[in-house]
Amino acid sequence: MYLKQIEQLVVLQKVDDEIVLLQEELKKAPLRITELEKNRQEIEDNAAIIRDKLKYLTDQQKRLEGEIETDTMRLKKSKSKMMQVGNSKEYHAMMREMDNLEKQNRGREEEKITVAEELARQNLELKSIDEQTTELDAELAVARQSLDERLAVAKARLAELDARRAEACTAVPKPILQRYEFIRSRLKNPVIVHVEAGICSGCHISIPPQSFIELQKGIQILSCPNCQRLIYWRDHIAPDPEEVAAAEAAAAEAPEE
Ligand SMILES: [Zn+2]
């Protein structure tokens, strides 16, 4: 009876270990997507700034072209009027005005080149941003797909674990189960731990010899007086073959002392 209960508590503990891991994974899984979405937003914001710049530069370009055209027309008119000018004073005034118009237009032509260069630069930048966006979108699509798959697998596994948990719970008396849940809600995992050579594997502190003797008798379920976790004597439970294999593999890999 006692052994069966301890056995089921250990099963319960294993199930809960895996549930804790899965829940952590479920919590962490969407973080990559959040990060990618943040990058995507930053790039999108940059693109918006560049589009504004491009609009401003295009407006500048149009304004300059308009002004150049207007002044070119005025120059042409002035040139044809030169022929009809009567005195030299008027002639010089006209020459000065034409000089001014030409000078202004030369300045505008220079400005137009600068604007065109800046337009080319910003267009290149926008193109590179568009490429980054396309890449990020592809990465996001893959990440979302794999997240969906991982979530589906984890959820299916959680459902399985819930069923195993319910099964293990039926074998454990209610007060002990309540103690298990109480400890679980207050202490860091695990809830039930083994005692080996008189030492609690939850807090690594010796339990009193009298308690250890009681524990070895295997009559009632005891708690560690130090950490309050449920305890059982290691020799009461056959070691998990998977864990033994893992420990042996680890020992074989570890360098000799
Ligand atoms: Zn302890």
Side-chain angles (χ1 to χ4, degrees):
M1 194 60 186
Y2 169 83
L3 285 182
K4 176 81 184 154
Q5 287 171 8
I6 287 289
E7 213 177 83
Q8 287 311 301
L9 279 170
V10 171
V11 168
L12 191 60
Q13 177 65 65
K14 259 192 209 141
V15 168
D16 282 347
D17 284 349
E18 201 180 333
I19 288 176
V20 167
L21 281 179
L22 275 174
Q23 279 167 345
E24 264 169 30
E25 196 195 320
L26 285 178
K27 213 161 65 184
K28 274 193 217 139
L31 291 182
R32 175 79 187 128
I33 288 179
T34 313
E35 194 189 324
L36 285 173
E37 277 169 349
K38 208 179 130 222
N39 288 352
R40 176 80 168 73
Q41 189 55 52
E42 274 168 17
I43 288 178
E44 193 52 54
D45 291 348
N46 273 342
I49 291 170
I50 290 180
R51 282 193 198 98
D52 280 351
K53 277 190 198 159
L54 284 173
K55 187 176 177 309
Y56 172 77
L57 289 167
T58 310
D59 288 349
Q60 289 291 94
Q61 209 174 30
K62 273 186 203 143
R63 176 185 61 83
L64 287 166
E65 275 163 6
E67 285 172 3
I68 289 170
E69 207 188 303
T70 310
D71 279 1
T72 306
M73 292 297 284
R74 280 169 73 188
L75 266 169
K76 266 187 193 161
K77 265 188 205 156
S78 297
K79 264 182 195 155
S80 59
K81 264 199 243 163
M82 289 276 272
M83 302 303 154
Q84 297 139 33
V85 171
N87 61 52
S88 72
K89 200 181 162 195
E90 213 177 319
Y91 178 85
H92 284 299
M94 253 179 131
M95 280 294 275
R96 266 202 306 278
E97 198 206 327
M98 281 168 70
D99 264 0
N100 256 337
L101 288 174
E102 270 171 356
K103 218 167 121 191
Q104 273 185 7
N105 264 0
R106 273 200 302 276
R108 286 178 187 127
E109 290 291 354
E110 274 167 26
E111 210 184 322
K112 235 181 89 179
I113 290 169
T114 311
V115 168
E117 280 169 359
E118 190 56 25
L119 262 173
R121 228 190 333 266
Q122 296 296 338
N123 268 320
L124 263 182
E125 184 69 24
L126 188 62
K127 205 181 147 218
S128 135
I129 284 184
D130 283 344
E131 281 165 10
Q132 286 177 47
T133 308
T134 310
E135 264 175 42
L136 257 181
D137 282 346
E139 211 180 320
L140 257 170
V142 171
R144 286 202 181 104
Q145 163 97 26
S146 85
L147 175 67
D148 287 347
E149 282 162 10
R150 272 163 78 193
L151 289 184
V153 169
K155 276 179 188 155
R157 183 66 187 145
L158 271 177
E160 249 176 68
L161 290 172
D162 277 344
R164 275 188 66 191
R165 200 174 193 281
E167 201 187 296
C169 285
T170 56
V172 181
K174 219 174 167 196
I176 291 170
L177 206 57
Q178 279 167 349
R179 231 159 95 199
Y180 178 94
E181 297 294 2
F182 181 80
I183 298 169
R184 188 163 121 94
S185 68
R186 273 163 184 76
L187 283 179
K188 243 184 113 195
N189 214 33
V191 175
I192 180 160
V193 293
H194 68 257
V195 171
E196 198 177 5
I199 292 172
C200 165
S201 66
C203 61
H204 307 290
I205 286 175
S206 298
I207 60 167
Q210 191 52 45
S211 302
F212 191 39
I213 292 165
E214 282 297 312
L215 190 68
Q216 284 170 313
K217 283 186 196 156
I219 295 162
Q220 60 165 338
I221 292 169
L222 300 174
S223 291
C224 167
N226 181 55
C227 69
Q228 310 302 322
R229 289 185 172 90
L230 301 177
I231 47 175
Y232 64 93
W233 187 34
R234 173 150 231 174
D235 289 16
H236 277 156
I237 300 282
D240 187 326
E242 268 178 47
E243 272 172 22
V244 170
E248 276 170 3
E253 266 176 42
E256 303 247 336
E257 278 174 40

